Amino acid sequence: MTSISYNNNPAPAVAEVGEDVQLSLQGITKVFPGKKDWMSKLLRRTSSEFMALDEISLDIKHNKFVSIIGPSGCGKSTLLNIIAGLASPSSGALLMNGYLVEGPGPDRGMVFQNYALMPWMTVEGNIAFALETVYPTMPKVQQKRVVKENIELVGLTGAETKHPHELSGGMQQRVGIARALAINPQILLMDEPFGALDALTRGFLQEEIERIWEQQRKTVIMVTHSIEEALLLSDEIIMMTRGPGAKVDEILEIPFPRPRKREEVETHPEYNNLKLEMEQHLYRETRAVEKSRI
Ligand SMILES: Nc1ncnc2c1ncn2[C@@H]1O[C@H](COP(=O)(O)OP(=O)(O)OP(=O)(O)O)[C@@H](O)[C@H]1O
């Protein structure tokens, strides 16, 4: 792979973190303000403020595949958006290699559930556009090489000149993955990346992600609703409590050897215990949410 470097102009370090820690979340709280303006009052759509996340502290180590799982609406996407710099925390700090980060940056690449491709651009156009935006001075020859390498990496060779509407959902998400990887982020963030796909395509793409991860061993943080997906891909699974004021309940260490094959993972002696523990966690938290609404 072509190596790309960039100057992220990091802010000064504000705290000591362990050498093996790449990303440190320190007391991240997110409170969404309520709506009390005259228009909301007129439309009877006022709301009070809502604390989505309450003092989340986490250390993510280099080259780990980490999944975040929790009951629906607990704040998984909010947390990922804060890590991506697309949302700001109400309090707390986010440190990357010990340096404070306060906005989006090319050190974090994001893959969205709805692909978020430019519909008027081709496959290579979408990837080249991301590269141009992040590395405006990159020579065209290098840009072409990076685009080609990443199209190859996600198995889309031959589809370079197609537009998103000519591609299946699975192929569009491959473009989303290639685009995120092309900017050579230190951390790949994925928000329910396979959530909009049918079961078979989802299975294929999970295996593709496992293959790509083995090649690159980049740190990945993935939000998912799927226990099986988290178990297949992750080194660690962060289980969140229900909101409001969601916290980290427990972090599961996943012991399956790599490279992973679905059949081997599913027949590992620890698989059923881990799956049961996750099911019980999700059931308990979801049941509590439902009870609170009755
Ligand atoms: N802009 C906002 N203003 C007010 N509340 C918000 C806003 N965005 C999210 N929320 C609330 O914050 C909570 C967390 O939302 P978030 O989308 O992060 O949860 P999630 O765990 O990713 O959900 P899901 O599992 O359904 O994808 C929800 O209760 C949601 O309604």
Side-chain angles (χ1 to χ4, degrees):
M1 275 258 138
T2 312
S3 76
I4 307 169
S5 60
Y6 52 82
N7 177 8
N8 195 27
N9 293 326
V14 294
E16 286 292 312
V17 292
E19 218 171 72
D20 55 345
V21 174
Q22 188 170 23
L23 186 76
S24 180
L25 279 66
Q26 305 197 336
I28 297 283
T29 294
K30 180 68 182 180
V31 180
F32 289 107
K35 283 189 187 161
K36 293 205 173 69
D37 55 290
W38 67 268
M39 183 60 99
S40 304
K41 282 182 186 156
L42 195 68
L43 297 172
R44 294 173 189 265
R45 295 240 171 101
T46 54
S47 61
S48 33
E49 67 176 27
F50 181 81
M51 182 192 270
L53 306 173
D54 183 13
E55 298 247 349
I56 295 212
S57 293
L58 267 181
D59 283 342
I60 310 264
K61 298 198 184 99
H62 290 270
N63 313 111
K64 294 282 178 196
F65 196 120
V66 178
S67 290
I68 302 175
I69 203 160
S72 196
C74 72
K76 303 177 291 295
S77 296
T78 303
L79 186 62
L80 202 71
N81 285 339
I82 290 173
I83 296 172
L86 302 175
S88 48
S90 309
S91 60
L94 184 70
L95 303 180
M96 183 90 164
N97 304 314
Y99 291 91
L100 186 63
V101 282
E102 291 184 301
D107 50 356
R108 285 148 292 148
M110 185 85 160
V111 175
F112 299 92
Q113 181 178 357
N114 62 1
Y115 326 127
L117 303 176
M118 308 289 179
W120 61 92
M121 288 183 178
T122 61
V123 167
E124 52 191 7
N126 267 281
I127 302 169
F129 180 69
L131 277 168
E132 266 162 28
T133 309
V134 176
Y135 308 108
T137 58
M138 180 184 276
K140 284 279 176 256
V141 176
Q142 189 185 358
Q143 186 195 91
K144 278 197 164 178
R145 195 168 60 237
V146 176
V147 169
K148 186 169 181 281
E149 282 171 355
N150 282 281
I151 287 176
E152 261 170 39
L153 180 72
V154 299
L156 278 181
T157 304
E160 292 86 345
T161 57
K162 290 199 186 307
H163 287 81
H165 72 270
E166 299 174 276
L167 304 174
S168 67
M171 288 166 90
Q172 289 186 57
Q173 193 54 298
R174 285 173 194 259
V175 182
I177 294 165
R179 177 182 58 186
L181 289 174
I183 61 165
N184 196 24
Q186 290 185 41
I187 302 185
L188 183 67
L189 306 172
M190 301 202 286
D191 192 358
E192 279 271 354
F194 315 127
L197 303 174
D198 63 89
L200 203 61
T201 310
R202 187 174 185 138
F204 283 140
L205 270 189
Q206 288 165 352
E207 282 158 23
E208 285 289 273
I209 284 290
E210 161 65 9
R211 175 185 63 78
I212 292 169
W213 190 85
E214 287 298 340
Q215 268 185 38
Q216 303 206 339
R217 298 239 163 188
K218 232 176 237 306
T219 308
V220 175
I221 307 176
M222 175 178 78
V223 166
T224 180
H225 278 282
S226 164
I227 291 175
E228 290 80 7
E229 184 168 287
L231 284 170
L232 175 67
L233 296 171
S234 317
D235 296 304
E236 284 177 6
I237 301 176
I238 297 168
M239 297 202 293
M240 289 177 66
T241 65
R242 64 188 178 276
K247 290 178 174 292
V248 171
D249 188 36
E250 199 184 336
I251 301 179
L252 295 180
E253 300 280 339
I254 309 304
F256 312 142
R258 291 188 182 272
R260 289 185 183 165
K261 290 223 165 6
R262 193 183 300 275
E263 314 76 69
E264 287 168 14
V265 164
E266 289 176 359
T267 51
H268 189 282
E270 280 295 303
Y271 185 82
N272 283 334
N273 287 342
L274 287 164
K275 190 170 174 217
L276 186 64
E277 190 172 345
M278 292 171 72
E279 280 169 355
Q280 284 173 342
H281 167 84
L282 285 180
Y283 180 80
R284 190 178 63 237
E285 294 298 315
T286 306
R287 192 76 195 96
V289 173
E290 285 171 356
K291 266 192 171 167
S292 70
R293 287 187 182 145
I294 293 169

